[in-house]
Every structure is written in structure tokens, then in C-alpha cells.
Amino acid sequence: MTMVTQLDIETDLTFTADEIMTIVASRELSDGDVVFVGIGIPSTAANLARLTHAPKVVLVYESGTIGTKPTRPPLSIGDGELAETADAVVSVPEIFAYWLQAGRIDIGFLGAAQLDRWGNLNTTVVGDYDNPTVRLPGAGGAPEIAFNARKTMVVLRQNPRAFVDHLDFITSVGHYEGHDSRSALGAAGGGPSIVITDIGVLRPEALTNELVLVSLHPGRTIDEAVSGTGWELRIADDLATTAPPTAAELATLRELSGS
Amino acid sequence: MIFLDPDKRVDLATAASHIGDGALLALGGGLSSRLPMALVRELVRQGRTGLHVVGSAHSMDVDLLVAAGALSICEESYVGFEQDLGLAPAYRRAAESGTITLRESCCVTILTQLRAAEMGLPFLPVRGIKGTDMRRLHPEYAETTCPFTGEVLVAVPPLIPDAALIHAPLGDLHGNLYLDKPYVLDERFAGASRAVIATVDRIVSTDELVEYGITIPAHYVQAVAEVPFGAHPASSYPNYAYDRDHMGVYVKAASKPESAAQYIEEWVMLPDGEDGYRAKLGEESLQRLTTWSESTETWKGLFA
């Protein structure tokens, strides 16, 4: 934790876990990317990218808005401003058929309650399906996003309840059972390319497609990442430190979020 | 079915009376927008039970039916109040205690089943459900091999709801409906269901409706009832934004069975029905929701 203190003294920049997750996620997006986003950090990160380094990123929300440019992160995908500021509003069937199933989404941006080492996601139940401990909202459109987007990004806080050895329910397929099992299943898109947590960044390893820790956020430790993971987390040989948020990124994010 | 009566106007009670106990229903709109809340409240007032709902992303409509004990089977692909207000309290409680049966699927699978119904086809294929646990909740799905590419796909059968309950901002006496975008799945629900039972904020002349554009033509529609603010607390753009404060009041009340019952007593079981509901909300709070389009600041103010 000394590192954070030093960093604070040097740059006078402190940030919350949500802020670094959002900023790291926004950096993954580039001009021209067509991004399918849900409400929460994905939506905020995509808008942050649009307002900073990627003004031409195209935001697609499940409600049917294409190229939307909200002035603040929406609280609901039914928000009027999403439709008002969109280049086009199409029907939900068109979103799924033309944009998603036919492979026109570059990046699918997902959250979850549980994730396993292959990047499979659970947003359905904690515990047994017929007798759940926690009933979650369900799949929504996530399974098709996970299956068809050219790649997917996942944002999720890293703790043993979320990063589990075995999912209680597979809602959306990631790298399925590892290795080439995802493509063998017939999935069109490439699956999870990055998992961004409050501790660091995981990416699938070549060949096995197992998620490994490739970067730690400033001030976070390998021990924290390992103890936040319910499987035996592997660490990349060339483990990096995430570049800290810049003053510009933080200022834009805070203005966007109204905080 | 095709409905050709020239005048389908009915009152809300009559509209709801077309729905029997145990009916398979598609609820129009989604999440915070254009939920058929007046019809949902009226079904609760009329004491309907055993309802079976199927669809995509829903919130208070499904949760209120669950809280009232009107719902037995839920196949909605998402039930919740998004990140903002969180999990659906009554739905969650019922699921965790086993008082409702869940057989959910995902949005695209349901959409595909509706398309099969519209086209009169015995099945259509989907991909995205492969490898998921939703697949095992649906023994009626089957595998099929594409005759051209050899790709193995999941074949899903047609889905034919008994009725689609749809709220629209405007309609006419024939039952033509204008919807503001986004339409969500409503056009597909209309085509796949045996009947559309509609509420509209306002019935206007056909000429005026045509100016706006007809989204759902009258031949799908069995009955249309004029119910101002009939989607409240969901939005019915361009008429009004969603009432986030009231959604919050509901979510808080629904978190415990006692307060959920009290909410239903207080806000649903009113002797004068929807007139009483609007009176209880008050003219001022309802009008406030209509100011969303005046300026970005006004709109933001509604969600502060």
C-alpha cells in the first residue's frame, strides 16, 4: 500500500475501485469499435472512452439505440436520453439479429455475479437453480453477446464469492471448458479477451484460454489477487502494473458521473 | 387471430376480463419503459391467479404480479431493476422460497420462438444458448444440423402467448397503436400472440394517429382501453418519463411480505381503480413526469 501513498504525494490523484475499473475498461475501446454495453460500469466506461480518446466509438444498448451519446450515464436502458441522442433507434429484434447474431458487434461488455477461470459467467442464481440462495435477475441478452461478439470484456470485483472454481449456473459461455472447446461448441466470436477487476487485469492465456493475472493496479498485491480468487490463480511471467488514472481521465469521469 | 371490429374501445375492467386464470402472457415494453402497469394492477384487482409470463427484460410488472400472488410460472429472461434499484424483491423471495416456478431462457431464444410463431414454422434455430444451463431447463429444445453447413444448432419451437398486454402512448378506436421507439419486442409479441389487449394514454382520431405512424395495426388488437398514465411508474414516451421515485417506493415496500401487501392494498386495491391511483399520485407529480422533454436539465432533474 506504500505505493499508493507515494503515488498520491507525487500526483495528488486518488481514485476509487470503481474509478480505476471504469478507466481501465475505457482504455480498451478504440475509435470505430461497435460496443454492446449494459448499464453500470460498462456504460460509464464506454461513455468515458467516447469523451476522451475514442470519440468515434459506437455505443449500442440492448433497447435498440445505435451510436448513442448520453450526457450522463443512464440509470436504465429505457432512459429517454439514450434514444434522444442516438444516431438511430432500431427494434430489439434488429439489435439481436443484424447487429449481434450476424457478427457486427466488435466488443460485448458484460458484468456478472460469478465468473470461472474460463470466463464463463453466471447472472442467474447463487446456489441450486430450483432452490437458490440468491435469485439474480437472469440472462437478458448476455448469452448471445457472449457467444457472438468478436470479443467480450468483463468487469467484476475480485473476491472469492465472485471468482469461483465452479459456477452455480452457466448463463453465458466464455472460453467454456478451456483450450479450443469454445470454438468446438460453435461460438462465432472470440470470447473474453480481458477481465478487469478492482485489483488488476486478467487475460486468457494462449492455447489453454485460462484467465491469468497480467496486471496489478497501482498499490495492489499478488496476495490480494490470489486470495480474491476461488481457483488457483496463475500469474503471468511478465506481470505489469496498470498505468494509474490520469488527471484528465479522472476529471472527465467525475464530470460524467456527476460526482 | 385477426380482429376486424371497427370499434374495440372498452373500459380497463373489460380489457382485463379477456385474460383468464392461468393465461400465458407476454408483457409489453421492458425495464423502465412502457410496462402495461394499469392492466397488471387491474388483473390483481380482479384476483387473477396462476398467470404464466414469458418475455425478455422486466421489472415492476412481473414483481408486482408475484407480490400479489397472481403469478405461478415465470419465463422472463431478466427480472430486476437494473443497477439502479437492484434485484426484484418479490420475485427474488418467491424464487428462493420456491413459491413460483421458473423456466427462463434468454432474450434471443424467446425472440426466435416468437418469430417461429409469426411465420407458422415448427421451429427456428439459435446458437447463443449452446453450452449454457438454460438449455437444460428446456427439454423441449432440440438439436438440429444445418443441411448446408453441417453446423449443429439448437432448434426452438414456436411460442404462442394467449395474449400480449401492451401499453401505447396513443391509439385509435379500431385498435391501431402508435409506439415511441424503442419498440422492444412488442411488434413480435403482437404477431405471435393469439390477441393483443392494449391500453393507451390517449385515444385519438385515426387521422391524428396516422400522422404519428401506426406501429401495431388494429387487426392484432382485440380490445383497447384508454387509461391515462397507464404505464406509470414506467415511462410512456413521448408522454412521460418513468417515475424513479415511485419505483423506489415500490422496491422498498416489496422487500418484505408485509409491506408488499400494504403497497398492494394502498396503491392497487383502490375502489375506484386507476382513477384512484392517479388521484393518489396527485396531479402535480404526474405532470412533473411530462416535463422531461422541456430541457436536458428538466429531464435530469427527474432522476436526481
Side-chain angles (χ1 to χ4, degrees), chain B residues 140-192:
Chain B
E140 75 276 22
Y141 299 169
E143 287 199 339
T144 185
T145 303
C146 170
F148 305 110
T149 63
E151 181 179 356
V152 177
L153 297 154
V154 177
V156 296
L159 171 63
I160 306 172
D162 294 323
L165 309 187
I166 291 177
H167 180 81
L170 297 171
D172 71 3
L173 81 168
H174 309 305
N176 291 305
L177 305 176
Y178 161 76
L179 303 183
D180 195 42
K181 285 180 175 179
Y183 304 150
V184 203
L185 289 181
D186 291 15
E187 299 159 287
R188 306 279 72 80
F189 283 149

XYZ file of all heavy atoms in Angstrom, chain B residues 140-192:
402
model
N -37.778 -29.145 -24.197
C -38.489 -29.045 -25.483
C -37.571 -28.546 -26.606
O -37.903 -28.696 -27.780
C -39.733 -28.148 -25.351
C -39.485 -26.651 -25.275
C -39.152 -26.136 -23.867
O -38.711 -26.923 -23.018
O -39.306 -24.906 -23.637
N -36.436 -27.941 -26.263
C -35.486 -27.551 -27.310
C -34.795 -28.832 -27.813
O -34.654 -29.801 -27.076
C -34.397 -26.616 -26.780
C -34.853 -25.283 -26.206
C -33.952 -24.498 -25.504
C -36.161 -24.813 -26.353
C -34.333 -23.274 -24.965
C -36.543 -23.595 -25.819
C -35.632 -22.831 -25.119
O -36.002 -21.637 -24.573
N -34.362 -28.790 -29.065
C -33.708 -29.978 -29.639
C -32.513 -29.553 -30.477
O -32.393 -28.388 -30.848
C -34.702 -30.742 -30.498
N -31.647 -30.476 -30.758
C -30.530 -30.152 -31.640
C -30.916 -30.415 -33.082
O -31.667 -31.341 -33.386
C -29.305 -30.991 -31.269
C -28.679 -30.512 -29.980
C -27.244 -30.978 -29.814
O -26.865 -31.957 -30.467
O -26.524 -30.339 -29.026
N -30.397 -29.585 -33.972
C -30.646 -29.803 -35.386
C -29.361 -29.490 -36.149
O -28.576 -28.653 -35.724
C -31.825 -28.944 -35.897
O -32.094 -29.280 -37.252
C -31.509 -27.457 -35.831
N -29.170 -30.199 -37.262
C -27.957 -29.983 -38.055
C -28.302 -29.222 -39.324
O -29.223 -29.609 -40.053
C -27.330 -31.343 -38.413
O -27.083 -32.049 -37.202
C -26.011 -31.152 -39.152
N -27.599 -28.164 -39.572
C -27.833 -27.369 -40.781
C -27.541 -28.219 -42.013
O -26.450 -28.781 -42.133
C -26.954 -26.123 -40.773
S -26.995 -25.257 -42.358
N -28.512 -28.319 -42.941
C -28.301 -29.168 -44.131
C -27.240 -28.599 -45.083
O -26.761 -29.297 -45.966
C -29.669 -29.184 -44.798
C -30.358 -27.957 -44.318
C -29.824 -27.686 -42.945
N -26.892 -27.341 -44.927
C -25.944 -26.708 -45.848
C -24.516 -26.704 -45.322
O -23.566 -26.908 -46.066
C -26.393 -25.280 -46.158
C -27.791 -25.215 -46.694
C -28.814 -24.676 -45.936
C -28.091 -25.736 -47.944
C -30.113 -24.645 -46.421
C -29.390 -25.711 -48.439
C -30.410 -25.158 -47.663
N -24.390 -26.412 -43.995
C -23.039 -26.255 -43.444
C -22.650 -27.367 -42.482
O -21.494 -27.505 -42.121
C -22.942 -24.937 -42.657
O -23.859 -25.016 -41.551
C -23.289 -23.742 -43.530
N -23.637 -28.125 -42.016
C -23.354 -29.154 -41.025
C -23.257 -28.621 -39.606
O -23.023 -29.373 -38.662
N -23.455 -27.308 -39.433
C -23.390 -26.730 -38.083
C -24.529 -27.267 -37.216
O -25.670 -27.371 -37.662
C -23.498 -25.199 -38.171
C -23.418 -24.526 -36.813
C -23.494 -22.992 -36.883
O -23.538 -22.430 -37.991
O -23.508 -22.379 -35.799
N -24.196 -27.633 -35.986
C -25.221 -28.110 -35.057
C -25.793 -26.910 -34.311
O -25.060 -26.136 -33.687
C -24.645 -29.141 -34.075
C -25.710 -29.566 -33.059
C -24.123 -30.356 -34.831
N -27.100 -26.743 -34.401
C -27.786 -25.601 -33.790
C -28.852 -26.112 -32.830
O -29.188 -27.301 -32.835
C -28.437 -24.759 -34.886
C -27.448 -24.121 -35.879
C -28.130 -23.864 -37.217
C -26.869 -22.848 -35.308
N -29.381 -25.189 -32.023
C -30.475 -25.555 -31.129
C -31.784 -25.131 -31.788
O -31.965 -23.960 -32.140
C -30.313 -24.882 -29.752
C -31.505 -25.217 -28.853
C -29.000 -25.330 -29.097
N -32.672 -26.092 -31.999
C -33.980 -25.809 -32.593
C -34.956 -25.457 -31.476
O -35.053 -26.183 -30.488
C -34.483 -27.033 -33.356
N -35.649 -24.336 -31.627
C -36.628 -23.948 -30.607
C -38.017 -23.857 -31.236
O -38.171 -23.400 -32.363
C -36.237 -22.621 -29.913
C -34.938 -22.800 -29.143
C -36.109 -21.458 -30.901
N -39.031 -24.319 -30.499
C -40.395 -24.367 -31.053
C -41.080 -22.998 -31.004
O -40.618 -22.095 -30.317
C -41.101 -25.360 -30.129
C -40.402 -25.222 -28.821
C -38.974 -24.891 -29.145
N -42.200 -22.846 -31.725
C -42.930 -21.570 -31.688
C -43.459 -21.274 -30.278
O -43.768 -22.205 -29.520
C -44.104 -21.793 -32.643
C -43.949 -23.119 -33.241
C -42.859 -23.854 -32.561
N -43.550 -20.001 -29.980
C -44.098 -19.568 -28.693
C -45.332 -18.724 -29.003
O -45.225 -17.696 -29.672
C -43.047 -18.741 -27.952
C -43.498 -18.034 -26.685
C -43.946 -19.026 -25.624
C -42.377 -17.161 -26.151
N -46.486 -19.196 -28.551
C -47.745 -18.506 -28.854
C -48.429 -18.090 -27.557
O -49.184 -18.862 -26.977
C -48.682 -19.405 -29.698
C -47.932 -19.905 -30.953
C -49.964 -18.654 -30.091
C -48.688 -20.944 -31.759
N -48.159 -16.878 -27.072
C -48.847 -16.427 -25.858
C -50.359 -16.307 -26.092
O -50.803 -16.004 -27.214
C -48.222 -15.045 -25.595
C -46.915 -15.050 -26.321
C -47.161 -15.915 -27.538
N -51.134 -16.538 -25.017
C -52.588 -16.339 -25.133
C -52.891 -14.873 -25.427
O -53.813 -14.564 -26.164
C -53.291 -16.764 -23.832
C -53.163 -18.263 -23.602
O -53.227 -19.005 -24.602
O -52.979 -18.678 -22.443
N -52.114 -13.998 -24.807
C -52.327 -12.568 -25.055
C -51.041 -11.798 -24.811
O -50.228 -12.188 -23.973
C -53.428 -12.024 -24.155
N -50.893 -10.719 -25.572
C -49.844 -9.744 -25.298
C -50.510 -8.528 -24.672
O -51.489 -8.012 -25.211
C -49.141 -9.351 -26.598
N -50.005 -8.127 -23.496
C -50.542 -6.931 -22.844
C -49.620 -5.773 -23.209
O -48.444 -5.773 -22.830
C -50.577 -7.102 -21.324
C -51.240 -8.369 -20.782
C -51.340 -8.285 -19.251
C -52.623 -8.556 -21.391
N -50.127 -4.826 -23.974
C -49.269 -3.760 -24.497
C -49.840 -2.397 -24.124
O -51.037 -2.138 -24.318
C -49.134 -3.888 -26.036
C -48.316 -5.151 -26.355
C -48.456 -2.638 -26.643
C -48.163 -5.452 -27.832
N -48.966 -1.551 -23.586
C -49.364 -0.167 -23.358
C -48.734 0.718 -24.429
O -47.546 0.600 -24.704
C -48.955 0.346 -21.974
C -49.381 1.767 -21.761
N -50.653 2.107 -21.399
C -48.711 2.936 -21.947
C -50.765 3.430 -21.347
N -49.586 3.959 -21.676
N -49.534 1.591 -25.017
C -49.046 2.501 -26.058
C -49.402 3.936 -25.673
O -50.414 4.170 -25.008
C -49.693 2.155 -27.397
N -48.584 4.894 -26.086
C -48.945 6.285 -25.779
C -50.229 6.725 -26.478
O -51.016 7.461 -25.904
C -47.734 7.097 -26.266
C -46.905 6.184 -27.087
C -47.250 4.786 -26.703
N -50.432 6.241 -27.718
C -51.611 6.654 -28.480
C -52.218 5.472 -29.229
O -51.502 4.569 -29.667
C -51.230 7.710 -29.530
C -50.674 9.039 -29.041
C -50.157 9.847 -30.229
C -51.718 9.828 -28.268
N -53.543 5.519 -29.375
C -54.225 4.515 -30.178
C -55.505 5.116 -30.753
O -55.875 6.241 -30.399
N -56.173 4.366 -31.634
C -57.476 4.843 -32.119
C -58.557 3.820 -31.807
O -58.264 2.777 -31.207
C -57.411 5.192 -33.619
C -57.289 3.945 -34.507
O -57.317 2.809 -33.977
O -57.143 4.117 -35.729
N -59.787 4.145 -32.183
C -60.915 3.283 -31.788
C -60.848 1.887 -32.416
O -61.347 0.927 -31.860
C -62.262 3.960 -32.090
C -62.831 3.909 -33.505
C -64.282 4.364 -33.494
C -62.030 4.771 -34.449
N -60.176 1.794 -33.571
C -60.050 0.473 -34.206
C -59.035 -0.412 -33.480
O -59.010 -1.626 -33.694
C -59.555 0.620 -35.660
C -60.341 1.589 -36.463
N -61.700 1.498 -36.613
C -59.956 2.692 -37.170
C -62.127 2.491 -37.383
N -61.093 3.236 -37.723
N -58.163 0.219 -32.686
C -57.119 -0.554 -32.015
C -55.747 -0.390 -32.647
O -54.801 -1.074 -32.260
N -55.615 0.505 -33.633
C -54.273 0.813 -34.144
C -53.469 1.465 -33.019
O -54.000 2.296 -32.280
C -54.360 1.797 -35.328
C -54.980 1.166 -36.556
O -54.511 0.130 -37.029
N -56.055 1.777 -37.061
N -52.189 1.109 -32.919
C -51.372 1.632 -31.826
C -50.129 2.321 -32.382
O -49.484 1.811 -33.306
C -50.918 0.504 -30.897
C -51.998 -0.385 -30.285
C -51.346 -1.496 -29.464
C -52.959 0.428 -29.423
N -49.818 3.472 -31.800
C -48.535 4.129 -32.069
C -47.618 3.899 -30.866
O -48.018 4.127 -29.727
C -48.726 5.641 -32.278
C -47.431 6.410 -32.104
C -46.462 6.392 -33.114
C -47.150 7.100 -30.919
C -45.252 7.053 -32.943
C -45.940 7.769 -30.748
C -44.998 7.741 -31.752
O -43.802 8.374 -31.586
N -46.398 3.422 -31.115
C -45.408 3.282 -30.044
C -44.250 4.219 -30.338
O -43.858 4.397 -31.480
C -44.855 1.852 -29.973
C -45.817 0.693 -29.787
C -45.025 -0.611 -29.665
C -46.689 0.894 -28.571
N -43.693 4.807 -29.282
C -42.456 5.558 -29.420
C -41.326 4.534 -29.381
O -41.398 3.522 -28.692
C -42.345 6.543 -28.246
C -41.292 7.612 -28.483
O -41.224 8.132 -29.602
O -40.550 7.925 -27.541
N -40.255 4.828 -30.154
C -39.107 3.910 -30.109
C -38.404 4.039 -28.769
O -38.419 5.107 -28.185
C -38.145 4.261 -31.234
C -38.645 3.812 -32.600
C -37.639 4.196 -33.652
C -38.064 3.653 -35.030
N -37.132 4.035 -36.073
N -37.743 3.020 -28.262
C -37.627 1.692 -28.851
C -38.877 0.811 -28.608
O -39.514 0.930 -27.586
C -36.417 1.098 -28.128
C -36.332 1.837 -26.824
C -36.919 3.197 -27.057
N -39.163 -0.022 -29.588
C -40.370 -0.855 -29.512
C -40.188 -2.101 -28.650
O -41.128 -2.821 -28.380
C -40.778 -1.322 -30.908
C -41.004 -0.213 -31.911
C -40.757 -0.419 -33.258
C -41.484 1.032 -31.510
C -40.979 0.583 -34.199
C -41.702 2.050 -32.437
C -41.443 1.823 -33.784
O -41.657 2.809 -34.697
N -38.953 -2.381 -28.272
C -38.619 -3.614 -27.556
C -39.163 -4.808 -28.366
O -39.000 -4.821 -29.588
C -39.082 -3.580 -26.080
C -38.288 -4.550 -25.237
C -38.896 -2.163 -25.489
N -39.868 -5.751 -27.748
C -40.340 -6.924 -28.510
C -41.807 -6.796 -28.916
O -42.405 -7.750 -29.413
C -40.152 -8.202 -27.692
C -38.723 -8.696 -27.478
C -38.730 -9.990 -26.661
C -38.025 -8.947 -28.819
N -42.394 -5.617 -28.691
C -43.857 -5.518 -28.786
C -44.430 -5.910 -30.154
O -45.491 -6.525 -30.231
C -44.313 -4.107 -28.424
C -44.093 -3.817 -26.942
O -43.342 -4.574 -26.302
O -44.657 -2.844 -26.439
N -43.722 -5.558 -31.228
C -44.247 -5.937 -32.548
C -44.285 -7.460 -32.702
O -45.203 -8.025 -33.286
C -43.354 -5.374 -33.648
C -43.255 -3.866 -33.674
C -41.997 -3.444 -34.414
O -40.900 -3.599 -33.850
O -42.125 -3.001 -35.561
N -43.250 -8.110 -32.178
C -43.186 -9.578 -32.283
C -44.220 -10.236 -31.371
O -44.838 -11.223 -31.736
C -41.772 -10.089 -31.937
C -40.675 -9.435 -32.755
C -40.536 -10.050 -34.138
N -41.610 -9.715 -35.056
C -41.706 -8.567 -35.735
N -40.791 -7.639 -35.616
N -42.704 -8.352 -36.543
N -44.411 -9.656 -30.168
C -45.461 -10.170 -29.274
C -46.814 -10.071 -29.966
O -47.636 -10.985 -29.895
C -45.522 -9.355 -27.978
C -44.430 -9.663 -26.983
C -43.955 -8.668 -26.135
C -43.894 -10.930 -26.861
C -42.962 -8.940 -25.199
C -42.905 -11.211 -25.929
C -42.445 -10.210 -25.103
N -47.040 -8.936 -30.641
C -48.333 -8.709 -31.290
C -48.567 -9.768 -32.365
O -49.667 -10.322 -32.486
C -48.380 -7.310 -31.894
N -47.518 -10.058 -33.138
C -47.674 -11.015 -34.228
C -47.783 -12.455 -33.762
O -48.451 -13.274 -34.400
N -47.142 -12.775 -32.653
C -47.089 -14.169 -32.209
C -48.255 -14.562 -31.305
O -48.627 -15.733 -31.236
C -45.758 -14.427 -31.488
